[in-house]
Amino acid sequence: MKNWFRQHRYALGSALAHLRKSPGGFVFNIVVVALALALPFAGLTLLDNVQPLSQQLSVDPEMSLFLKQDLKRAEAEALAPTLRTALNDKRARIAFIPREQALEALKNKSGLADVLATLGENPLPDSYVLTLDTFKNNANAGNIDALAERLRALPGVDTVQVDSAWVKRLAALLGVLRLALLLLAITLGTVVIAVIFNTIRLQVLTQRDEISVSKLIGATDTFIHRPFYYTGALLGLCAGAVALASVALALNPLNAAIAAFAELYGSQFQLQALAPLSMVALLALSASLGLIGALLSVQRHLARMS
């Protein structure tokens, strides 16, 4: 075990020594890889902030059931248990709205009290407002229409009003964003691997004589390859850190612009940086991409020198 640690410590030290010989090239490669990583990192940050907002918007969608005008009050109030059974959701809230209460609310909100008074009798029916809990997940938004059809078939129900279209649009938009982010991440991840692949290739060519001498004195392929692996991983790790820092710094001017826009809608929405655990995962992913690029490059170019 001590020998294993000693070998890896030597490989890491050797990788750092070679990087110190050409710091300008290493920094330039970090910038190039960081630019490629910044786009998917920014997209992931945006999606991470929008996801809770979408869940908040889609929580507890409401359905309005308007009863038939000739339905007696006792029969209307007795419909609540039937609605509960049809919903099959113990956490759903069912509120009965008498026609008198609905008319009074309409007068207060519309300011048309004088016009409504000229109608004589109340034209509004008794109704129920159903606040659903089952469909707070966007993935289940399509089930709202099926539920509405079942409720329309109940005796005494005249019409059912539900606006599920916006829930479906939001779900579809988030699905498109996730797919676009995935494709972007795959594309730029390939770019990262290609950049590190080329960087390690140039380093292998630069150290060709040193590698040949090492083989003559009995160095194993694993011993020779290991410093290049550390170089690729370090390049990916540093580039990931720079990309995350760039995204975090960009949130300040973005939030200043978002705050002015959100204020128009009485909101205080602000973009937040990713959680520490998510950042650690992205750094590990960046280092892994660097390691993959180094592995492919070393296996390809050092094999030709064997």
Side-chain angles (χ1 to χ4, degrees), residues 36-47:
L37 291 174
L39 287 176
F41 284 5
L44 185 61
T45 301
L46 178 62
L47 194 61

Side-chain angles (χ1 to χ4, degrees), residues 92-153:
R93 295 184 295 276
I94 300 177
F96 177 69
I97 309 296
R99 54 190 305 188
E100 296 82 10
Q101 180 180 339
L103 180 63
E104 191 64 28
L106 182 61
K107 289 179 180 179
N108 295 333
K109 288 183 179 180
S110 65
L112 300 176
D114 295 338
V115 176
L116 293 173
T118 61
L119 296 177
E121 62 181 27
N122 186 355
L124 301 179
D126 293 329
S127 62
Y128 279 93
V129 175
L130 312 180
T131 306
L132 309 176
D133 183 78
T134 304
F135 303 103
K136 64 182 179 181
N137 189 332
N138 283 334
N140 297 328
N143 296 332
I144 297 180
D145 291 335
L147 175 61
E149 289 300 323
R150 293 201 304 270
L151 295 178
R152 287 189 183 97

Side-chain angles (χ1 to χ4, degrees), residues 26-131:
F26 183 67
V27 172
F28 177 78
N29 287 324
I30 287 178
V31 172
V32 172
V33 175
L35 288 174
L37 291 174
L39 287 176
F41 284 5
L44 185 61
T45 301
L46 178 62
L47 194 61
D48 185 67
N49 281 271
V50 172
Q51 188 72 25
L53 179 63
S54 68
Q55 291 177 353
Q56 181 181 358
L57 288 174
S58 61
V59 164
D60 301 340
E62 290 186 349
M63 302 178 66
S64 297
L65 274 74
F66 298 99
L67 307 181
K68 295 180 179 179
Q69 286 279 6
D70 58 353
L71 193 66
K72 297 181 179 179
R73 177 60 54 84
E75 295 175 346
E77 294 177 343
L79 192 60
T82 305
L83 294 176
R84 175 71 66 182
T85 302
L87 290 176
N88 194 24
D89 181 10
K90 295 181 180 179
R91 291 178 295 181
R93 295 184 295 276
I94 300 177
F96 177 69
I97 309 296
R99 54 190 305 188
E100 296 82 10
Q101 180 180 339
L103 180 63
E104 191 64 28
L106 182 61
K107 289 179 180 179
N108 295 333
K109 288 183 179 180
S110 65
L112 300 176
D114 295 338
V115 176
L116 293 173
T118 61
L119 296 177
E121 62 181 27
N122 186 355
L124 301 179
D126 293 329
S127 62
Y128 279 93
V129 175
L130 312 180
T131 306

Side-chain angles (χ1 to χ4, degrees), residues 30 34-35 37-39 41-42 45 236-254 273-274 279-280 282-283 286:
I30 287 178
L35 288 174
L37 291 174
L39 287 176
F41 284 5
T45 301
L237 181 64
C238 294
V242 172
L244 285 174
S246 301
V247 172
L249 290 175
L251 292 181
N252 291 328
L254 281 175
L274 292 172
M279 290 186 178
V280 171
L282 290 178
L283 289 176
S286 302

